[in-house]
Amino acid sequence: GLLQVVKQCVRVPVFVMIRPRGGDFLYSDREVEVMKADIRLAKLHGADGLVFGALTEDGRIDTELCTALLAVCRPLPVTFHRAFDMVHDPLVALETLISLGFERVLTSGCDSSALEGLSLIKRLTEQPSALCVTSGFFPPGGGITERNLQRILEGSTASEFHCSARSARDSGMKFRNPNVAMGASFSAPEYSIKVADVAKVRTLNAIAKNIL
């Protein structure tokens, strides 16, 4: 439902995240069934591309599963998401993902944010194999804001980037039950809603256009 409404409202390409649950990227057979079903439905309802990631228990790219999921995704382009930041050896993982045929790898440079991982992102983009793919192969993501975007784009030589650009909006609810929370105790406040911030998006776009 979300994908259908988004496609009616925007003209930019929409890539759909295929992620059956939070947590790690080691998936059971049932979860793989869900992922394949989600991919087919996303394609049916107009997705322009797909985004997923899968690892083995020892922190390597799950080539068997990725190959199977890529086959379901085609002919759409596919991005390997920040599961990359949890791999045992990012340089080996890079070679694997290029050989599998992924069009992009979203990464924070295997660190807590793209700014902290900037040196690794730059190192990855300078690998001979990475030079043979598009300049947007490594869109940095993770903790990107208006305050650090310029430094990240200049330091990584990336031509694309990923960020949430969100802000909190107070709920419109007038009656509020303080005794019930619809989630874990560490989740967001019940009556605060995270929304895409148009002003942040415009500012980030303006910064990027001055650099790229």
Side-chain angles (χ1 to χ4, degrees), residues 118-145:
L118 194 55
S119 60
L120 178 60
I121 295 173
K122 189 172 188 299
R123 184 181 173 195
L124 289 167
T125 60
E126 292 173 345
Q127 293 299 304
S129 54
L131 295 174
C132 298
V133 293
T134 64
S135 59
F137 189 77
F138 278 110
I144 292 181
T145 68

Side-chain angles (χ1 to χ4, degrees), residues 9 45 52 55 79 94 100 114 121 143 149 159 180 187 203 205 212:
C9 296
H45 292 289
F52 70 80
L55 304 179
T79 297
L94 162 65
L100 287 173
I121 295 173
L149 177 60
S159 61
V180 179
S187 63
T203 299
N205 274 336
L212 301 177

Side-chain angles (χ1 to χ4, degrees), residues 26-27 54-56 60-67 80 100:
L26 182 65
Y27 295 113
L55 304 179
T56 62
R60 291 172 169 78
I61 305 297
D62 189 333
T63 55
E64 182 178 353
L65 176 52
C66 285
T67 298
F80 193 92
L100 287 173

Side-chain angles (χ1 to χ4, degrees), residues 15 102 119:
F15 280 50
F102 283 89
S119 60

